Each structure stands twice: as C-alpha cells, then as structure tokens.
C-alpha cells in the first residue's frame, strides 16, 4: 500500500515536471520564433548583418524591461552589444544608436536616409499644420517662416519682457516662507514666457493659471494610445488643444486685421505673419493656432527641465556659483555696482513724483506693479542685451555643461526610409532608429572625465566639443535641430544671472533627488529648495 502511494506521488511529480518543462520549452520556442521573425526582415540585398541585441518576448518585446530599468536598460545593453544594438519596444523593432559619427549620419540623413517619427497621438493632438508633422519641402518652408521668430532681432525684442517674467517668478520663489518645488515652478516660468513673451497674450493671472492647467492636460496625453473614445487620453488631449485654440483665436484674428507700425512690439505672431508674407505664403488662423500651441510645447517642458537641472547643479557646486558671481561683478552686474541706483518703489504724494518713480522702475526693470498683490522683485540686475549675455563667458559655459550633463531629451526617434549602414551593421528600411543624446554625451572621448560637472570644459582654453561636432547635441542637429535653441539658451542664461546675482538657496530635503530620464529629465518627487534674496530692500 505504501509503495503504491509512493508510486502515485512520484507519478504526479513526473507529470508536473513534464508540464513545467513543456511550458518552458514552448516559451523558449516562441521566443526563438519571435527572434527569427525579425531576423527574416533583414534586407537581403545588404551583406551587413543586423545589429546584435535581443527582441525580447513575442509582442511585448523588451518593453517591460525598459519601463522598469529606465536608463540602466540602455546602459546595460550598450555595454553588452556595443553602440548600435537592436531591441523591440512599444510594439516596434528599434535600433538604438550612440556615438558622434553614428548620430551625425542619422541627423544629416533627414529626408534621405530617415524621416522624423512622432507617435500618432502627438501628430493628431498638435495638428497637421505644425512643424513636427511636416516633411520634405513643406518642412523646409515652415522652418524658413519660423526662422524669423527666432532671429537675432526677434530675440533682442523678447529679452526685456522675458527678463521681467524671470524677475517676477523669482520674486514669488523668494517670498514663499517654505520650500518650493523647482520643477513645478520652472514649468510655470516657461509657460508664462511662452504665453506672455512669445505669443504676446496679455491675460489676467487667473486665466494664465487656468491655461497652464489646460496645457498640462495636453502634455499629459500627448503620448497616448491613438484611440479617440470618451475618457481616452487622445480625447482629453484634443479637448485641451481646442480650449487653447479658442483662447488664442480672437487675438490672432485682431492681429491679422490691423496694420502694425514698425516701432510696435513684435511677438511671435507678428514675426510669423511678416515672414510668411515675405515667402509668399498667407497663414490662416488655424495654422497660427496650431503653430502657437507647438511653440508653447517646444518652449515649455524641455526648458523647464533644463532650468531645474541648472538649479540642481548650482546647489551641488558652490564653487561654480562663486566663479559665476565673480564674472557678474567684473561685468558690472554685481550688487555693489547697482546698489546706489536701486529704486525704492515707494509711492510719493505728487502725481509728477509718482510718474517719475514709475519711469525709473520701468527703465531699470527692478520694480513690479504691486497693486495686483504680487511680491516685489528685489533684483538689482538691469535689463540685459544679447551682447551683454554674450560677454558672460563663464555663465555660458555653465549653461552648456548643464545641457551636456543632463540633456532634457534623452534622444530622438526616426524611421529608416532606406536600408543603410552604421558601425558595420545594416539598418533595415522601415525600422525605428533611436539616437541617444545622453549616452553620447556620457561616452564621447572628447570629454575629459565626462562624469564630472565641469563648466570649464567649454572654456576658451579647452573647448572640448570643438573637435567633434556631434559629440555635443543637446538640441539635435541637421534640418531637424531645435528651431528655438537660441531662445532656450537665453532663458537659461537670464535665469542663471538673476539667481546667481540676487539670490541664495538651500536644499530643503536631506538628499538630492534622483533624476528620471523618460520622457524628459526631471527630479523624482521634485526638487524642493528654499530661496531668499541676498539683499532684501
């Protein structure tokens, strides 16, 4: 009887073991068939092999590994397979590319070897008239029209108003009794710059806050499943876009109807209308609305990310702050250089005196209108010019190093228009190609000890990126390079000057936050900082 029971147990164990082994065999077989399925897609006319790498499991590929491992996913596979490797993410075969020469070929191959690739939801929400949805000659024409929006003359005209917004936002940061989340504050800052400076929309504070919330709704659903159904991400994104369009339509229509004098302030709408006319193209209201939202999209999240990274690095490196302060003093932007000229903004009894005080405040850019309850700016920094910013060589190096060390966007996606070669491997037609900005910055041989934050690497004595143009690509390159990169750098430099010249700050948490790199670089759970003015009035 005992032997019979023992036999039954052994039989059950054998059956279970057989079932497990069969399941494992089937899993291994399906994985091999999945890998074979993609191996067969290689271009037979090319003698080059597909890049090394794994296609993961059927259908899901390596998506879950990518989601859970974050940046470590790409690092581990690059170390295992090299600078060009294949994987399967989000339902598509992807070839991940690192290295200056490889990136150069991709970025300069736009419209011939590759074309830009945005998710369908992004294309739908932003609209058909945007730059990201344009290819070929249409893309070239739109870039020419937008070039005037970011020309030197346009940037010079934006700068005083941009600086006013920066002063005002910093005043709010310094007036807070507790810590602020720099990432949230930076998003508010860049949204206001886009709305008030670029688009010239003069709105009440309540309206700006409301539109900022609507824009966040658009951004949160920009990368969603392309399913237009009630409560879907795509539907929410489209709704947010329509609200933004409705708020812009009236002012755009008014601009298109009235003639504008040469000395009147120009915003992006004005420059676009003027540029389009020069190129023989008549922009309609729908095109302008879609382009306006795209400009906010371009100026908002990535610049907010870089602004947050700037504050983080200033917190981490006090020696860098002291060196930048010395440069501001040398260029006449120190507190002592302007302390005797700082207006008090005290209301006087006579109308003439009040008018004189107002004029002085406007000229120096030091005072805000406090009837709306906003805190007063204690900044002594006068209005900057592009020439003055260009003289701040070390501040420029700090901004460049922030963008090297923590580039806001990790990389970009393209689709191969034809089969071509990279690093001895074939990139088959139709496959997705993801070029890595962050990995290239971290591994480029031209950068001495790349893991160190060292602004002097961009100084005149070293200029480490000079010998290899595509080793430093925070704004991409080629015909798809960021059209607003000069504006982004001006925002960062202005913020750096105002912060370093007027403020002091301390980290409000025990440790520095970890940085998340997808979809853009930002601190996990925020960057909480206490701000105060160095010399309160």
């Amino acid at each position: 009887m005992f032997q019979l029971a023992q036999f039954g147990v052994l039989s059950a164990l054998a059956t279970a073991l057989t079932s497990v082994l069969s399941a494992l065999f089937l899993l291994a077989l399906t994985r091999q068939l999945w890998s074979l399925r993609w191996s067969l897609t290689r271009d037979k006319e090319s003698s080059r092999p597909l890049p090394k790498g794994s296609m993961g499991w059927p259908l899901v590929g390596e998506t879950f590994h990518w989601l859970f491992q974050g940046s470590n996913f790409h690092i581990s596979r690059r170390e295992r397979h090299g600078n060009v490797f294949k994987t399967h993410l989000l339902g598509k075969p992807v070839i991940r590319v690192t290295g200056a020469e490889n990136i150069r070929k991709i970025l300069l191959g736009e419209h011939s070897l590759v074309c830009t690739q945005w998710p369908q939801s992004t294309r739908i929400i932003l609209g058909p008239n945007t730059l990201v949805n344009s290819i070929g000659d249409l893309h070239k024409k739109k870039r020419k029209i937008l070039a005037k929006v970011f020309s030197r003359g346009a940037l010079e005209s934006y700068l005083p108003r941009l600086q006013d917004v920066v002063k005002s936002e910093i005043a709010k940061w310094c007036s807070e009794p507790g810590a602020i989340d720099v990432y949230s504050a930076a998003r508010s800052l860049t949204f206001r710059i886009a709305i008030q400076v670029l688009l010239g929309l003069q709105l009440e504070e309540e309206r700006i806050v409301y539109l900022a919330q609507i824009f966040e709704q658009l951004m949160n659903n920009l990368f969603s499943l392309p399913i237009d159904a009630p409560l879907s991400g795509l539907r929410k994104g489209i709704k947010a876009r329509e609200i933004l369009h409705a708020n812009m339509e009236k002012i755009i229509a008014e601009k298109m109807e009235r003639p504008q004098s040469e000395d009147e302030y120009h915003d992006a709408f004005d420059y676009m209308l003027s540029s389009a006319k020069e190129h023989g193209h008549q922009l309609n209201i729908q095109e302008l609305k879609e382009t306006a939202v795209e400009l906010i999209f371009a100026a908002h999240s990535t610049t907010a990310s870089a602004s947050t990274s700037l504050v983080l690095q200033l917190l981490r490196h006090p020696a860098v702050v002291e060196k930048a302060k010395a440069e501001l003093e040398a260029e006449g932007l120190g507190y002592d250089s302007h302390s005797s000229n700082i207006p008090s903004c005290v209301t006087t009894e006579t109308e003439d005196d009040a008018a004189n005080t107002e004029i002085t405040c406007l000229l120096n850019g030091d005072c805000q209108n406090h009837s709306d309850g906003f805190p007063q700016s204690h900044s002594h920094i006068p209005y900057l010019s592009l020439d003055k910013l260009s003289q701040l060589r070390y501040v420029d190096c700090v901004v460049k190093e922030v963008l090297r060390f923590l580039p806001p966007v990790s990389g970009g996606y393209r689709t191969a228009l034809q089969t071509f070669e990279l690093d001895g491997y074939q990139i088959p037609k139709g496959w997705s190609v993801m070029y890595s900005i962050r990995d290239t910055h971290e591994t480029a041989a031209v950068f001495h000890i790349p893991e160190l934050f060292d602004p002097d690497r961009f100084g005149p004595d070293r200029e480490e990126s000079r010998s290899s143009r595509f080793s430093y690509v925070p704004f991409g390159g080629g015909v798809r390079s960021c059209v607003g990169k000069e504006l982004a750098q001006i925002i960062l430099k202005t913020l750096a000057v105002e912060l370093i010249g007027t403020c002091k700050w301390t980290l409000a948490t025990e440790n520095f936050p970890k940085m998340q790199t997808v979809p853009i670089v930002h601190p996990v759970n925020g960057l909480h900082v206490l701000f105060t003015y160095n010399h309160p009035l």
Side-chain angles (χ1 to χ4, degrees), residues 78-93:
R78 188 186 72 238
E79 291 175 347
R80 193 184 312 161
H81 304 302
N83 282 343
V84 179
F85 65 85
K86 69 177 185 289
T87 182
H88 194 281
L89 303 174
L90 299 173
K92 286 191 173 184

Side-chain angles (χ1 to χ4, degrees), residues 366-377:
D366 296 317
C367 303
Q368 307 292 328
N369 182 352
H370 308 302
S371 61
D372 53 13
F374 290 137
Q376 175 181 337
S377 171

Side-chain angles (χ1 to χ4, degrees), residues 289-330:
K289 287 190 296 186
E290 290 183 12
T291 303
V293 171
E294 185 177 32
L295 285 174
I296 303 174
F297 164 65
H300 179 259
S301 297
T302 52
T303 311
S305 167
S307 299
T308 305
S309 297
L310 170 66
V311 175
L312 176 65
Q313 296 306 323
L314 295 180
L315 278 163
R316 284 183 175 275
H317 303 282
V320 169
V321 176
E322 290 305 312
K323 189 168 181 178
K325 277 184 180 178
E327 180 176 66
L328 295 185
E329 290 286 350

Side-chain angles (χ1 to χ4, degrees), residues 166-167 169-171 173-174 180 182 189 307-308 310-312 314 321 325 328 379-381 492-505 529 531-534:
V166 172
K167 287 177 184 288
E169 290 300 294
I170 289 178
W173 301 358
C174 291
I180 68 160
V182 174
L189 168 66
S307 299
T308 305
L310 170 66
V311 175
L312 176 65
L314 295 180
V321 176
K325 277 184 180 178
L328 295 185
S379 171
H380 64 273
I381 306 291
L492 292 171
K493 289 175 187 177
T494 304
L495 178 61
V497 170
E498 290 286 348
L499 283 176
I500 294 169
T502 67
C503 299
K504 54 186 176 182
W505 47 82
V529 180
F531 287 92
T532 57
Y533 279 115
N534 277 325

Side-chain angles (χ1 to χ4, degrees), residues 54-55 62 73 85-89 92-95 431:
S54 169
M55 302 306 285
E62 294 193 298
F73 172 85
F85 65 85
K86 69 177 185 289
T87 182
H88 194 281
L89 303 174
K92 286 191 173 184
V94 179
I95 293 177
W431 279 47

Side-chain angles (χ1 to χ4, degrees), residues 113-134:
L113 294 181
V114 297
C115 66
T116 189
Q117 175 185 306
W118 286 89
Q120 188 177 351
S121 59
T122 306
R123 299 197 300 270
I124 293 171
I125 291 172
L126 291 181
N129 296 300
T130 51
L131 192 65
V132 300
N133 279 331
S134 303

Side-chain angles (χ1 to χ4, degrees), residues 311-528:
V311 175
L312 176 65
Q313 296 306 323
L314 295 180
L315 278 163
R316 284 183 175 275
H317 303 282
V320 169
V321 176
E322 290 305 312
K323 189 168 181 178
K325 277 184 180 178
E327 180 176 66
L328 295 185
E329 290 286 350
E331 291 295 333
L333 297 175
Y335 179 79
D336 293 337
S337 304
H338 295 272
S339 58
S340 61
N341 297 320
I342 296 176
S344 63
C345 292
V346 176
T347 304
T348 51
E349 294 183 359
T350 68
E351 290 184 5
D352 289 342
D353 287 342
N356 288 336
T357 300
E358 182 180 359
I359 291 170
T360 303
C361 292
L362 290 173
L363 287 174
N364 286 281
D366 296 317
C367 303
Q368 307 292 328
N369 182 352
H370 308 302
S371 61
D372 53 13
F374 290 137
Q376 175 181 337
S377 171
H378 293 173
S379 171
H380 64 273
I381 306 291
Y383 278 132
L384 300 166
S385 65
L386 294 184
D387 285 341
K388 175 57 75 174
L389 284 178
S390 68
Q391 291 168 14
L392 301 175
R393 301 288 180 84
Y394 187 70
V395 170
D396 182 67
C397 290
V398 171
V399 168
K400 285 180 178 176
E401 178 66 347
V402 167
L403 294 171
R404 183 200 70 85
F405 199 80
L406 288 169
V409 179
S410 298
Y413 282 89
R414 298 290 188 269
T415 298
L417 294 174
Q418 59 175 288
T419 300
F420 62 96
E421 179 191 337
L422 277 182
D423 253 11
Y425 298 107
Q426 66 162 273
I427 312 300
K429 178 181 178 181
W431 279 47
S432 294
V433 182
M434 192 277 180
Y435 67 90
S436 175
I437 294 172
R438 186 184 64 253
D439 288 2
T440 298
H441 287 183
E442 291 177 353
T443 60
V446 297
F447 295 126
H448 179 64
I449 316 180
E451 63 272 18
L452 291 183
F453 183 82
D454 180 12
D456 285 316
R457 71 174 75 251
F458 291 100
D461 295 335
R462 291 164 62 181
E463 292 190 46
E464 291 180 356
S465 64
R466 178 176 52 186
S467 62
S468 179
R469 174 184 165 194
F470 288 89
S471 290
Y472 180 71
V473 284
F475 298 104
V479 298
R480 288 278 178 182
S481 63
C482 177
V483 70
K485 60 185 178 183
E486 284 85 6
L487 176 63
Q489 291 176 90
I490 288 170
I491 293 172
L492 292 171
K493 289 175 187 177
T494 304
L495 178 61
V497 170
E498 290 286 348
L499 283 176
I500 294 169
T502 67
C503 299
K504 54 186 176 182
W505 47 82
T506 54
L507 185 68
T509 53
E510 187 175 344
N511 299 307
F512 286 104
K514 293 181 179 179
M515 300 300 284
Q516 184 172 322
T517 58
V518 178
I520 63 170
V521 171
H522 64 280
V524 177
N525 299 322
L527 172 63
H528 301 278

